[in-house]
Amino acid sequence: MPSPTYDLFFTGRDDPRCCVIIGEDTKPVYFSFETPERGVSSHTRTMEQQGGLRGVRVGPGEPPRQRRHRCPPAPHVPPRRPLSPPSTSSARAFVSAEGRTLEWRRCRDNPTSYDLYAAPNTRIAVFRRFTQQTVVGPSHGLLQYTFTNDLLLTEAILALCLNRWIDVHGM
């Protein structure tokens, strides 16, 4: 039996550092990326909703101090080696929190599209840019994936947004 495919729609600004991602896998999923324009020392804040609302902060330094909130405390994702050496020139790899090496590969026929591979030839997600009207407004991209690991999804989306930004602005 094939794995189910889940869809996340990229809405809001058409900017990998400032966008909203919404959809559903086994539960509602919501990400909101907000990156202030402050040079290379800026932080990315991510809001993620999967059963409950919580935040994820990505940036240098220690996790923020715990404050009283109605939602669980935000995990801190340290910026250690966000991208690793890839298997091909059209790819960028990252190491998940579980120690697995994954790779976003740009599609040759459409350089704004990416495929996520968990092993040399095991594709587990695809990102395609296209404009579509959704119930939450216009969408400018679609992420389809076949896994239900919340942390892996967060890491994959962060790596995808970083790859998209690098490819648009060059590095």
Side-chain angles (χ1 to χ4, degrees), residues 20-41:
V20 174
I21 305 164
I22 191 166
E24 192 171 330
D25 52 28
T26 59
K27 61 201 150 312
V29 178
Y30 176 83
F31 291 90
S32 176
F33 290 91
E34 299 170 13
T35 304
E37 298 292 332
R38 293 188 186 141
V40 295
S41 65

Side-chain angles (χ1 to χ4, degrees), residues 35-52:
T35 304
E37 298 292 332
R38 293 188 186 141
V40 295
S41 65
S42 63
H43 297 272
T44 298
R45 290 189 188 108
T46 303
M47 295 306 294
E48 172 187 1
Q49 182 172 337
Q50 295 177 335

Side-chain angles (χ1 to χ4, degrees), residues 7-104:
D7 296 342
L8 294 182
F9 297 92
F10 284 64
T11 65
R13 287 179 47 194
D14 189 5
D15 179 346
R17 296 181 350 140
C18 296
C19 63
V20 174
I21 305 164
I22 191 166
E24 192 171 330
D25 52 28
T26 59
K27 61 201 150 312
V29 178
Y30 176 83
F31 291 90
S32 176
F33 290 91
E34 299 170 13
T35 304
E37 298 292 332
R38 293 188 186 141
V40 295
S41 65
S42 63
H43 297 272
T44 298
R45 290 189 188 108
T46 303
M47 295 306 294
E48 172 187 1
Q49 182 172 337
Q50 295 177 335
L53 186 64
R54 65 179 189 215
V56 177
R57 180 176 140 307
V58 178
E62 295 298 315
R65 291 185 183 153
Q66 301 302 322
R67 298 183 187 104
R68 291 184 182 187
H69 292 289
R70 285 192 271 173
C71 57
H76 180 255
V77 180
R80 62 183 184 273
R81 284 183 44 150
L83 299 175
S84 302
S87 65
T88 69
S89 62
S90 65
R92 289 190 188 94
F94 67 96
V95 178
S96 73
E98 297 171 340
R100 295 171 49 195
T101 299
L102 296 106
E103 195 169 80
W104 278 109

